Amino acid sequence: ITSLGTHLTLDMGGAIRFGPDLEWVSSNTDYATDGGEPIKKVAAAIAEYLPMIQAKDLAPGYTGIRPKLQLPGGAFRDFVIKEESDAGFPGFVNLVGIESPGLTSSLAIAQMVDRLLH
């Protein structure tokens, strides 16, 4: 699995969801799900903790596009915080590529945005 690891979540209906998984796509409008090989990879990761779960027990849930700063197989790139006056958008702050550390860093990010704008 290419992602932040496999998480188990109970949804509001009481169903179990596993994920997230990451699949590189070439189009930012490609929301297709593939129940084949990706399901087998997810099942193998889940089986490390819950060996009774098999690929046949799983089905794709939903998809979304997560903007990434690095290319597939590329080195990690940290998030970008930039005020865009240079691009003709004064007062607009781009917050790009904020992934898992974003929640932990949210107060520091807010302070930085405040400094950029005031």
Side-chain angles (χ1 to χ4, degrees), residues 26-90:
S26 58
S27 168
N28 63 359
T29 60
D30 180 3
Y31 288 87
T33 59
D34 181 358
E37 194 60 33
I39 291 285
K40 292 177 185 171
K41 290 179 183 176
V42 170
I46 294 167
E48 292 180 31
Y49 302 95
L50 300 169
M52 72 290 278
I53 302 291
Q54 300 176 11
K56 67 179 178 60
D57 301 320
L58 305 173
Y62 55 88
T63 65
I65 302 294
R66 181 185 303 159
K68 304 291 279 181
L69 295 176
Q70 68 272 7
L71 297 172
F76 173 77
R77 291 185 55 200
D78 208 353
F79 48 83
V80 174
I81 301 170
K82 185 174 185 286
E83 198 278 334
E84 296 291 354
S85 289
D86 299 0
F89 301 102

